[in-house]
Amino acid sequence: MAVKKSARRRERRVSLRVDARLSMRVEGTPDGGASAQIVTESQNISSSGVYCLSSHFLPPLSKVQLTIVLPKLPGRTHSQELIKCEGIVVRCESLPQKKSEPHYQLACMFSGVDRAKQEILEEFVTWRNLQALRAALSPPTRVKQAVRKKAVAKRVTASTTRKKAAAPKRTRGAKRGAR
């Protein structure tokens, strides 16, 4: 009897990953080309790697230089943290896009991060996960206010429509004759 494979894949990541749009730069050597500086934005990040979109194909297992800008975290004195490290391309897959603009999904593993920078990355990931958890547990105030405004606007529109429907309609002739 054949053993069924599980529909779910087992998570192999050791560190937590969080969705984050962070400014970053990737410096590497595309296939058969000269060194390229790719300015992009991360899609998600962990203390062990980053996922982003790239305009160039970078071969898997090639070394790249990464520069990532982390925002100011609560309790930190610096306005931003600049993480500079070496990385290794884990995956670079083509995205279905317009032929004039080739884009690739690029996943890189950090290989040259010192312990202090790795702790900052871990702190950032934890902080973003806490923000996401709080947002999931209680809807943001702005959303509540927008919903209230729409409800009030509907009530006002409905009452105005009822008043117009109840009022007698006057024609031009009726106005002239009344004079």
Side-chain angles (χ1 to χ4, degrees):
M1 182 173 189
V3 177
K4 275 185 154 179
K5 287 188 178 181
S6 175
R8 288 185 171 177
R9 288 178 41 193
R10 200 175 109 210
E11 182 63 50
R12 295 181 303 182
R13 292 184 185 123
V14 176
S15 49
L16 291 174
R17 189 163 292 270
V18 65
D19 290 338
R21 305 259 190 238
L22 304 171
S23 297
M24 63 180 285
R25 183 177 64 214
V26 180
E27 296 176 55
T29 307
D31 256 357
S35 182
Q37 285 191 3
I38 303 160
V39 177
T40 186
E41 188 177 70
S42 70
Q43 302 298 304
N44 63 46
I45 191 167
S46 74
S47 61
S48 61
V50 66
Y51 166 72
C52 62
L53 299 179
S54 170
S55 57
H56 294 80
F57 177 81
L58 296 169
L61 301 178
S62 62
K63 289 186 178 181
V64 291
Q65 294 298 316
L66 301 168
T67 305
I68 303 167
V69 181
L70 291 180
K72 181 184 185 306
L73 295 177
R76 291 264 178 195
T77 56
H78 301 294
S79 61
Q80 295 176 333
E81 286 287 341
L82 204 61
I83 306 291
K84 290 185 175 188
C85 65
E86 190 173 271
I88 298 172
V89 175
V90 176
R91 181 179 75 247
C92 190
E93 297 173 347
S94 181
L95 269 175
Q97 290 280 334
K98 297 177 185 175
K99 292 190 179 196
S100 61
E101 280 188 47
H103 286 282
Y104 300 91
Q105 297 175 336
L106 181 66
C108 296
M109 174 184 83
F110 301 136
S111 64
V113 169
D114 63 13
R115 187 66 197 144
K117 296 290 185 184
Q118 191 166 14
E119 285 176 6
I120 292 169
L121 281 166
E122 288 172 0
E123 188 178 330
F124 173 76
V125 170
T126 302
W127 175 70
R128 285 300 288 262
N129 276 323
L130 285 173
Q131 279 187 322
L133 182 61
R134 285 185 189 128
L137 293 176
S138 64
T141 307
R142 291 183 195 148
V143 172
K144 288 181 183 176
Q145 289 174 347
V147 169
R148 281 189 206 128
K149 284 181 182 178
K150 285 182 181 179
V152 169
K154 283 182 182 178
R155 277 188 256 140
V156 169
T157 305
S159 67
T160 306
T161 306
R162 274 187 258 133
K163 286 178 186 176
K164 286 182 180 178
K169 292 191 177 185
R170 295 184 182 155
T171 60
R172 278 192 184 186
K175 283 184 182 178
R176 285 186 196 155
R179 286 187 194 176

mmCIF file of all heavy atoms in Angstrom, residues 65-110:
data_model
loop_
_atom_site.group_PDB
_atom_site.id
_atom_site.type_symbol
_atom_site.label_atom_id
_atom_site.label_comp_id
_atom_site.label_asym_id
_atom_site.label_seq_id
_atom_site.Cartn_x
_atom_site.Cartn_y
_atom_site.Cartn_z
ATOM 1 N N GLN A 65 26.021 41.427 -1.865
ATOM 2 C CA GLN A 65 26.138 42.360 -0.745
ATOM 3 C C GLN A 65 24.748 42.974 -0.536
ATOM 4 O O GLN A 65 24.145 43.479 -1.487
ATOM 5 C CB GLN A 65 27.160 43.460 -1.045
ATOM 6 C CG GLN A 65 28.580 42.964 -1.165
ATOM 7 C CD GLN A 65 29.072 42.333 0.121
ATOM 8 O OE1 GLN A 65 28.856 42.851 1.205
ATOM 9 N NE2 GLN A 65 29.707 41.185 -0.013
ATOM 10 N N LEU A 66 24.255 42.944 0.690
ATOM 11 C CA LEU A 66 22.919 43.456 0.999
ATOM 12 C C LEU A 66 23.026 44.664 1.920
ATOM 13 O O LEU A 66 23.838 44.672 2.854
ATOM 14 C CB LEU A 66 22.085 42.378 1.697
ATOM 15 C CG LEU A 66 21.873 41.081 0.921
ATOM 16 C CD1 LEU A 66 21.302 40.016 1.830
ATOM 17 C CD2 LEU A 66 20.949 41.330 -0.247
ATOM 18 N N THR A 67 22.195 45.658 1.645
ATOM 19 C CA THR A 67 22.054 46.814 2.525
ATOM 20 C C THR A 67 20.563 47.012 2.744
ATOM 21 O O THR A 67 19.815 47.219 1.784
ATOM 22 C CB THR A 67 22.660 48.084 1.892
ATOM 23 O OG1 THR A 67 24.023 47.815 1.539
ATOM 24 C CG2 THR A 67 22.599 49.256 2.846
ATOM 25 N N ILE A 68 20.137 46.930 3.997
ATOM 26 C CA ILE A 68 18.712 47.025 4.339
ATOM 27 C C ILE A 68 18.528 48.146 5.340
ATOM 28 O O ILE A 68 19.294 48.263 6.308
ATOM 29 C CB ILE A 68 18.212 45.693 4.937
ATOM 30 C CG1 ILE A 68 18.466 44.556 3.944
ATOM 31 C CG2 ILE A 68 16.741 45.779 5.298
ATOM 32 C CD1 ILE A 68 18.311 43.182 4.524
ATOM 33 N N VAL A 69 17.508 48.974 5.130
ATOM 34 C CA VAL A 69 17.206 50.080 6.027
ATOM 35 C C VAL A 69 16.040 49.673 6.922
ATOM 36 O O VAL A 69 14.924 49.477 6.448
ATOM 37 C CB VAL A 69 16.840 51.359 5.233
ATOM 38 C CG1 VAL A 69 16.554 52.504 6.186
ATOM 39 C CG2 VAL A 69 17.936 51.720 4.252
ATOM 40 N N LEU A 70 16.319 49.536 8.218
ATOM 41 C CA LEU A 70 15.272 49.224 9.190
ATOM 42 C C LEU A 70 14.765 50.521 9.802
ATOM 43 O O LEU A 70 15.559 51.418 10.102
ATOM 44 C CB LEU A 70 15.814 48.333 10.313
ATOM 45 C CG LEU A 70 16.179 46.904 9.959
ATOM 46 C CD1 LEU A 70 16.706 46.184 11.199
ATOM 47 C CD2 LEU A 70 15.007 46.158 9.396
ATOM 48 N N PRO A 71 13.472 50.659 10.032
ATOM 49 C CA PRO A 71 12.945 51.874 10.658
ATOM 50 C C PRO A 71 13.327 51.940 12.133
ATOM 51 O O PRO A 71 13.777 50.946 12.717
ATOM 52 C CB PRO A 71 11.432 51.717 10.493
ATOM 53 C CG PRO A 71 11.215 50.254 10.421
ATOM 54 C CD PRO A 71 12.428 49.689 9.741
ATOM 55 N N LYS A 72 13.105 53.100 12.730
ATOM 56 C CA LYS A 72 13.400 53.282 14.153
ATOM 57 C C LYS A 72 12.460 52.409 14.971
ATOM 58 O O LYS A 72 11.253 52.426 14.775
ATOM 59 C CB LYS A 72 13.217 54.743 14.553
ATOM 60 C CG LYS A 72 13.536 55.010 16.015
ATOM 61 C CD LYS A 72 13.249 56.451 16.376
ATOM 62 C CE LYS A 72 13.646 56.805 17.778
ATOM 63 N NZ LYS A 72 13.133 55.993 18.830
ATOM 64 N N LEU A 73 13.034 51.669 15.875
ATOM 65 C CA LEU A 73 12.246 50.837 16.778
ATOM 66 C C LEU A 73 12.020 51.582 18.084
ATOM 67 O O LEU A 73 12.870 52.378 18.501
ATOM 68 C CB LEU A 73 12.972 49.520 17.059
ATOM 69 C CG LEU A 73 13.171 48.587 15.875
ATOM 70 C CD1 LEU A 73 13.961 47.363 16.287
ATOM 71 C CD2 LEU A 73 11.843 48.176 15.287
ATOM 72 N N PRO A 74 10.893 51.357 18.737
ATOM 73 C CA PRO A 74 10.654 51.997 20.029
ATOM 74 C C PRO A 74 11.769 51.653 21.015
ATOM 75 O O PRO A 74 12.216 50.503 21.085
ATOM 76 C CB PRO A 74 9.321 51.397 20.492
ATOM 77 C CG PRO A 74 8.675 50.878 19.264
ATOM 78 C CD PRO A 74 9.774 50.503 18.328
ATOM 79 N N GLY A 75 12.250 52.660 21.722
ATOM 80 C CA GLY A 75 13.310 52.447 22.703
ATOM 81 C C GLY A 75 14.712 52.567 22.147
ATOM 82 O O GLY A 75 15.677 52.525 22.897
ATOM 83 N N ARG A 76 14.852 52.726 20.841
ATOM 84 C CA ARG A 76 16.174 52.873 20.221
ATOM 85 C C ARG A 76 16.496 54.349 20.059
ATOM 86 O O ARG A 76 15.612 55.164 19.829
ATOM 87 C CB ARG A 76 16.205 52.209 18.841
ATOM 88 C CG ARG A 76 16.113 50.726 18.890
ATOM 89 C CD ARG A 76 17.487 50.174 18.827
ATOM 90 N NE ARG A 76 17.463 48.725 18.910
ATOM 91 C CZ ARG A 76 18.521 48.025 19.160
ATOM 92 N NH1 ARG A 76 19.675 48.628 19.330
ATOM 93 N NH2 ARG A 76 18.459 46.732 19.245
ATOM 94 N N THR A 77 17.776 54.691 20.132
ATOM 95 C CA THR A 77 18.185 56.082 19.993
ATOM 96 C C THR A 77 18.367 56.488 18.539
ATOM 97 O O THR A 77 18.132 57.622 18.183
ATOM 98 C CB THR A 77 19.505 56.335 20.756
ATOM 99 O OG1 THR A 77 20.489 55.419 20.281
ATOM 100 C CG2 THR A 77 19.305 56.163 22.245
ATOM 101 N N HIS A 78 18.782 55.544 17.684
ATOM 102 C CA HIS A 78 19.015 55.862 16.274
ATOM 103 C C HIS A 78 17.680 55.996 15.549
ATOM 104 O O HIS A 78 16.713 55.313 15.859
ATOM 105 C CB HIS A 78 19.846 54.768 15.597
ATOM 106 C CG HIS A 78 21.173 54.556 16.245
ATOM 107 N ND1 HIS A 78 22.169 55.504 16.236
ATOM 108 C CD2 HIS A 78 21.670 53.495 16.933
ATOM 109 C CE1 HIS A 78 23.218 55.036 16.881
ATOM 110 N NE2 HIS A 78 22.945 53.820 17.321
ATOM 111 N N SER A 79 17.654 56.890 14.539
ATOM 112 C CA SER A 79 16.425 57.056 13.772
ATOM 113 C C SER A 79 16.181 55.861 12.861
ATOM 114 O O SER A 79 15.059 55.454 12.647
ATOM 115 C CB SER A 79 16.469 58.343 12.953
ATOM 116 O OG SER A 79 17.542 58.293 12.040
ATOM 117 N N GLN A 80 17.231 55.298 12.307
ATOM 118 C CA GLN A 80 17.134 54.129 11.437
ATOM 119 C C GLN A 80 18.359 53.257 11.664
ATOM 120 O O GLN A 80 19.399 53.735 12.101
ATOM 121 C CB GLN A 80 17.099 54.527 9.960
ATOM 122 C CG GLN A 80 15.896 55.302 9.555
ATOM 123 C CD GLN A 80 15.993 55.729 8.087
ATOM 124 O OE1 GLN A 80 17.073 55.886 7.534
ATOM 125 N NE2 GLN A 80 14.845 55.937 7.472
ATOM 126 N N GLU A 81 18.226 52.000 11.367
ATOM 127 C CA GLU A 81 19.359 51.080 11.435
ATOM 128 C C GLU A 81 19.700 50.658 10.019
ATOM 129 O O GLU A 81 18.811 50.322 9.237
ATOM 130 C CB GLU A 81 19.017 49.842 12.256
ATOM 131 C CG GLU A 81 18.947 50.061 13.729
ATOM 132 C CD GLU A 81 20.313 50.266 14.385
ATOM 133 O OE1 GLU A 81 21.364 49.889 13.795
ATOM 134 O OE2 GLU A 81 20.321 50.805 15.488
ATOM 135 N N LEU A 82 20.951 50.682 9.680
ATOM 136 C CA LEU A 82 21.416 50.242 8.377
ATOM 137 C C LEU A 82 22.106 48.893 8.555
ATOM 138 O O LEU A 82 23.111 48.791 9.256
ATOM 139 C CB LEU A 82 22.399 51.274 7.813
ATOM 140 C CG LEU A 82 22.566 51.330 6.321
ATOM 141 C CD1 LEU A 82 21.247 51.670 5.645
ATOM 142 C CD2 LEU A 82 23.608 52.359 5.946
ATOM 143 N N ILE A 83 21.520 47.858 7.966
ATOM 144 C CA ILE A 83 22.083 46.519 8.057
ATOM 145 C C ILE A 83 22.851 46.253 6.767
ATOM 146 O O ILE A 83 22.261 46.201 5.695
ATOM 147 C CB ILE A 83 20.984 45.449 8.234
ATOM 148 C CG1 ILE A 83 20.079 45.763 9.412
ATOM 149 C CG2 ILE A 83 21.584 44.057 8.319
ATOM 150 C CD1 ILE A 83 20.718 45.637 10.758
ATOM 151 N N LYS A 84 24.172 46.123 6.884
ATOM 152 C CA LYS A 84 25.015 45.786 5.730
ATOM 153 C C LYS A 84 25.629 44.433 6.008
ATOM 154 O O LYS A 84 26.216 44.223 7.072
ATOM 155 C CB LYS A 84 26.126 46.820 5.541
ATOM 156 C CG LYS A 84 25.644 48.154 5.070
ATOM 157 C CD LYS A 84 26.816 49.068 4.807
ATOM 158 C CE LYS A 84 26.329 50.377 4.222
ATOM 159 N NZ LYS A 84 27.439 51.223 3.786
ATOM 160 N N CYS A 85 25.440 43.527 5.039
ATOM 161 C CA CYS A 85 25.990 42.191 5.242
ATOM 162 C C CYS A 85 26.147 41.482 3.903
ATOM 163 O O CYS A 85 25.680 41.955 2.875
ATOM 164 C CB CYS A 85 25.094 41.374 6.162
ATOM 165 S SG CYS A 85 23.471 41.032 5.488
ATOM 166 N N GLU A 86 26.787 40.335 3.972
ATOM 167 C CA GLU A 86 26.913 39.478 2.809
ATOM 168 C C GLU A 86 25.738 38.507 2.821
ATOM 169 O O GLU A 86 25.223 38.150 3.874
ATOM 170 C CB GLU A 86 28.232 38.708 2.891
ATOM 171 C CG GLU A 86 28.581 37.980 1.625
ATOM 172 C CD GLU A 86 29.973 37.383 1.711
ATOM 173 O OE1 GLU A 86 30.929 38.095 1.353
ATOM 174 O OE2 GLU A 86 30.073 36.213 2.135
ATOM 175 N N GLY A 87 25.309 38.112 1.634
ATOM 176 C CA GLY A 87 24.224 37.155 1.531
ATOM 177 C C GLY A 87 24.496 36.148 0.431
ATOM 178 O O GLY A 87 25.395 36.333 -0.387
ATOM 179 N N ILE A 88 23.723 35.074 0.447
ATOM 180 C CA ILE A 88 23.820 34.044 -0.587
ATOM 181 C C ILE A 88 22.439 33.888 -1.202
ATOM 182 O O ILE A 88 21.437 33.764 -0.489
ATOM 183 C CB ILE A 88 24.282 32.706 0.010
ATOM 184 C CG1 ILE A 88 25.680 32.866 0.600
ATOM 185 C CG2 ILE A 88 24.252 31.597 -1.037
ATOM 186 C CD1 ILE A 88 26.167 31.664 1.374
ATOM 187 N N VAL A 89 22.378 33.929 -2.531
ATOM 188 C CA VAL A 89 21.100 33.785 -3.234
ATOM 189 C C VAL A 89 20.628 32.341 -3.062
ATOM 190 O O VAL A 89 21.339 31.404 -3.419
ATOM 191 C CB VAL A 89 21.236 34.140 -4.736
ATOM 192 C CG1 VAL A 89 19.940 33.878 -5.468
ATOM 193 C CG2 VAL A 89 21.671 35.588 -4.894
ATOM 194 N N VAL A 90 19.441 32.192 -2.510
ATOM 195 C CA VAL A 90 18.864 30.873 -2.295
ATOM 196 C C VAL A 90 17.951 30.515 -3.462
ATOM 197 O O VAL A 90 17.927 29.382 -3.925
ATOM 198 C CB VAL A 90 18.049 30.848 -0.975
ATOM 199 C CG1 VAL A 90 17.370 29.524 -0.773
ATOM 200 C CG2 VAL A 90 18.945 31.176 0.192
ATOM 201 N N ARG A 91 17.209 31.515 -3.935
ATOM 202 C CA ARG A 91 16.248 31.274 -5.017
ATOM 203 C C ARG A 91 16.103 32.548 -5.841
ATOM 204 O O ARG A 91 16.087 33.648 -5.308
ATOM 205 C CB ARG A 91 14.892 30.890 -4.398
ATOM 206 C CG ARG A 91 13.822 30.589 -5.387
ATOM 207 C CD ARG A 91 12.499 30.195 -4.711
ATOM 208 N NE ARG A 91 11.832 31.353 -4.141
ATOM 209 C CZ ARG A 91 11.643 31.565 -2.845
ATOM 210 N NH1 ARG A 91 12.081 30.704 -1.961
ATOM 211 N NH2 ARG A 91 11.018 32.631 -2.423
ATOM 212 N N CYS A 92 15.999 32.389 -7.150
ATOM 213 C CA CYS A 92 15.725 33.508 -8.052
ATOM 214 C C CYS A 92 14.847 32.967 -9.165
ATOM 215 O O CYS A 92 15.314 32.283 -10.077
ATOM 216 C CB CYS A 92 17.025 34.095 -8.605
ATOM 217 S SG CYS A 92 16.765 35.655 -9.485
ATOM 218 N N GLU A 93 13.546 33.258 -9.063
ATOM 219 C CA GLU A 93 12.569 32.723 -10.016
ATOM 220 C C GLU A 93 11.910 33.847 -10.786
ATOM 221 O O GLU A 93 11.638 34.915 -10.238
ATOM 222 C CB GLU A 93 11.509 31.913 -9.270
ATOM 223 C CG GLU A 93 12.065 30.707 -8.560
ATOM 224 C CD GLU A 93 11.037 30.003 -7.691
ATOM 225 O OE1 GLU A 93 9.956 30.569 -7.428
ATOM 226 O OE2 GLU A 93 11.325 28.871 -7.266
ATOM 227 N N SER A 94 11.617 33.575 -12.032
ATOM 228 C CA SER A 94 10.982 34.562 -12.897
ATOM 229 C C SER A 94 9.527 34.769 -12.506
ATOM 230 O O SER A 94 8.829 33.827 -12.145
ATOM 231 C CB SER A 94 11.066 34.076 -14.343
ATOM 232 O OG SER A 94 10.469 35.026 -15.193
ATOM 233 N N LEU A 95 9.092 36.016 -12.583
ATOM 234 C CA LEU A 95 7.692 36.367 -12.342
ATOM 235 C C LEU A 95 7.012 36.613 -13.674
ATOM 236 O O LEU A 95 7.610 37.231 -14.563
ATOM 237 C CB LEU A 95 7.611 37.682 -11.549
ATOM 238 C CG LEU A 95 7.576 37.619 -10.049
ATOM 239 C CD1 LEU A 95 7.618 39.030 -9.478
ATOM 240 C CD2 LEU A 95 6.368 36.910 -9.532
ATOM 241 N N PRO A 96 5.782 36.171 -13.858
ATOM 242 C CA PRO A 96 5.089 36.494 -15.115
ATOM 243 C C PRO A 96 4.771 37.986 -15.154
ATOM 244 O O PRO A 96 3.952 38.463 -14.388
ATOM 245 C CB PRO A 96 3.827 35.647 -15.071
ATOM 246 C CG PRO A 96 3.635 35.280 -13.646
ATOM 247 C CD PRO A 96 4.970 35.362 -12.978
ATOM 248 N N GLN A 97 5.455 38.711 -15.990
ATOM 249 C CA GLN A 97 5.288 40.161 -16.120
ATOM 250 C C GLN A 97 5.305 40.531 -17.595
ATOM 251 O O GLN A 97 5.403 39.674 -18.462
ATOM 252 C CB GLN A 97 6.434 40.899 -15.410
ATOM 253 C CG GLN A 97 6.410 40.804 -13.916
ATOM 254 C CD GLN A 97 5.428 41.783 -13.307
ATOM 255 O OE1 GLN A 97 5.115 42.815 -13.874
ATOM 256 N NE2 GLN A 97 4.916 41.429 -12.140
ATOM 257 N N LYS A 98 5.269 41.831 -17.841
ATOM 258 C CA LYS A 98 5.425 42.324 -19.205
ATOM 259 C C LYS A 98 6.831 41.985 -19.694
ATOM 260 O O LYS A 98 7.783 41.973 -18.915
ATOM 261 C CB LYS A 98 5.242 43.843 -19.241
ATOM 262 C CG LYS A 98 3.872 44.291 -18.820
ATOM 263 C CD LYS A 98 3.827 45.804 -18.812
ATOM 264 C CE LYS A 98 2.495 46.293 -18.278
ATOM 265 N NZ LYS A 98 2.462 47.735 -18.153
ATOM 266 N N LYS A 99 6.959 41.714 -20.977
ATOM 267 C CA LYS A 99 8.269 41.340 -21.517
ATOM 268 C C LYS A 99 9.272 42.478 -21.436
ATOM 269 O O LYS A 99 10.462 42.262 -21.358
ATOM 270 C CB LYS A 99 8.126 40.850 -22.950
ATOM 271 C CG LYS A 99 7.385 39.533 -23.008
ATOM 272 C CD LYS A 99 7.447 38.917 -24.358
ATOM 273 C CE LYS A 99 6.693 37.605 -24.303
ATOM 274 N NZ LYS A 99 6.969 36.744 -25.386
ATOM 275 N N SER A 100 8.787 43.719 -21.425
ATOM 276 C CA SER A 100 9.705 44.852 -21.376
ATOM 277 C C SER A 100 10.320 45.015 -19.977
ATOM 278 O O SER A 100 11.369 45.612 -19.840
ATOM 279 C CB SER A 100 8.979 46.136 -21.768
ATOM 280 O OG SER A 100 7.916 46.389 -20.857
ATOM 281 N N GLU A 101 9.650 44.472 -18.942
ATOM 282 C CA GLU A 101 10.152 44.597 -17.583
ATOM 283 C C GLU A 101 10.281 43.232 -16.915
ATOM 284 O O GLU A 101 9.358 42.776 -16.266
ATOM 285 C CB GLU A 101 9.191 45.452 -16.747
ATOM 286 C CG GLU A 101 9.326 46.919 -16.948
ATOM 287 C CD GLU A 101 8.472 47.674 -15.947
ATOM 288 O OE1 GLU A 101 8.515 47.348 -14.759
ATOM 289 O OE2 GLU A 101 7.765 48.581 -16.375
ATOM 290 N N PRO A 102 11.405 42.579 -17.064
ATOM 291 C CA PRO A 102 11.542 41.287 -16.393
ATOM 292 C C PRO A 102 11.747 41.470 -14.889
ATOM 293 O O PRO A 102 12.499 42.341 -14.470
ATOM 294 C CB PRO A 102 12.782 40.678 -17.043
ATOM 295 C CG PRO A 102 13.566 41.839 -17.514
ATOM 296 C CD PRO A 102 12.565 42.922 -17.845
ATOM 297 N N HIS A 103 11.035 40.704 -14.114
ATOM 298 C CA HIS A 103 11.188 40.744 -12.659
ATOM 299 C C HIS A 103 11.387 39.337 -12.134
ATOM 300 O O HIS A 103 10.876 38.373 -12.697
ATOM 301 C CB HIS A 103 9.960 41.372 -11.990
ATOM 302 C CG HIS A 103 9.907 42.848 -12.161
ATOM 303 N ND1 HIS A 103 10.669 43.707 -11.431
ATOM 304 C CD2 HIS A 103 9.180 43.614 -12.983
ATOM 305 C CE1 HIS A 103 10.417 44.953 -11.796
ATOM 306 N NE2 HIS A 103 9.508 44.919 -12.749
ATOM 307 N N TYR A 104 12.116 39.261 -11.052
ATOM 308 C CA TYR A 104 12.422 37.974 -10.453
ATOM 309 C C TYR A 104 12.122 38.027 -8.956
ATOM 310 O O TYR A 104 12.278 39.065 -8.329
ATOM 311 C CB TYR A 104 13.899 37.625 -10.667
ATOM 312 C CG TYR A 104 14.273 37.543 -12.115
ATOM 313 C CD1 TYR A 104 14.755 38.659 -12.801
ATOM 314 C CD2 TYR A 104 14.103 36.360 -12.828
ATOM 315 C CE1 TYR A 104 15.078 38.593 -14.145
ATOM 316 C CE2 TYR A 104 14.423 36.280 -14.172
ATOM 317 C CZ TYR A 104 14.909 37.399 -14.819
ATOM 318 O OH TYR A 104 15.214 37.328 -16.157
ATOM 319 N N GLN A 105 11.714 36.882 -8.427
ATOM 320 C CA GLN A 105 11.565 36.724 -6.987
ATOM 321 C C GLN A 105 12.921 36.294 -6.474
ATOM 322 O O GLN A 105 13.465 35.276 -6.910
ATOM 323 C CB GLN A 105 10.529 35.651 -6.663
ATOM 324 C CG GLN A 105 9.147 35.985 -7.128
ATOM 325 C CD GLN A 105 8.183 34.826 -6.892
ATOM 326 O OE1 GLN A 105 8.582 33.672 -6.806
ATOM 327 N NE2 GLN A 105 6.909 35.155 -6.805
ATOM 328 N N LEU A 106 13.466 37.067 -5.554
ATOM 329 C CA LEU A 106 14.822 36.827 -5.075
ATOM 330 C C LEU A 106 14.794 36.555 -3.573
ATOM 331 O O LEU A 106 14.290 37.380 -2.810
ATOM 332 C CB LEU A 106 15.700 38.045 -5.368
ATOM 333 C CG LEU A 106 17.158 37.987 -4.967
ATOM 334 C CD1 LEU A 106 17.891 36.925 -5.784
ATOM 335 C CD2 LEU A 106 17.804 39.337 -5.160
ATOM 336 N N ALA A 107 15.292 35.409 -3.163
ATOM 337 C CA ALA A 107 15.402 35.059 -1.748
ATOM 338 C C ALA A 107 16.878 34.914 -1.415
ATOM 339 O O ALA A 107 17.611 34.199 -2.099
ATOM 340 C CB ALA A 107 14.663 33.761 -1.457
ATOM 341 N N CYS A 108 17.307 35.626 -0.378
ATOM 342 C CA CYS A 108 18.714 35.593 0.034
ATOM 343 C C CYS A 108 18.822 35.213 1.505
ATOM 344 O O CYS A 108 18.020 35.656 2.327
ATOM 345 C CB CYS A 108 19.370 36.958 -0.152
ATOM 346 S SG CYS A 108 19.461 37.493 -1.862
ATOM 347 N N MET A 109 19.832 34.434 1.797
ATOM 348 C CA MET A 109 20.143 34.050 3.170
ATOM 349 C C MET A 109 21.302 34.930 3.632
ATOM 350 O O MET A 109 22.261 35.137 2.882
ATOM 351 C CB MET A 109 20.553 32.574 3.181
ATOM 352 C CG MET A 109 21.034 32.071 4.506
ATOM 353 S SD MET A 109 21.587 30.353 4.380
ATOM 354 C CE MET A 109 23.244 30.609 3.784
ATOM 355 N N PHE A 110 21.208 35.464 4.850
ATOM 356 C CA PHE A 110 22.305 36.262 5.381
ATOM 357 C C PHE A 110 23.458 35.324 5.737
ATOM 358 O O PHE A 110 23.251 34.296 6.369
ATOM 359 C CB PHE A 110 21.876 37.029 6.636
ATOM 360 C CG PHE A 110 20.722 37.976 6.417
ATOM 361 C CD1 PHE A 110 19.680 38.037 7.319
ATOM 362 C CD2 PHE A 110 20.671 38.800 5.309
ATOM 363 C CE1 PHE A 110 18.618 38.904 7.137
ATOM 364 C CE2 PHE A 110 19.612 39.670 5.107
ATOM 365 C CZ PHE A 110 18.585 39.720 6.026
#
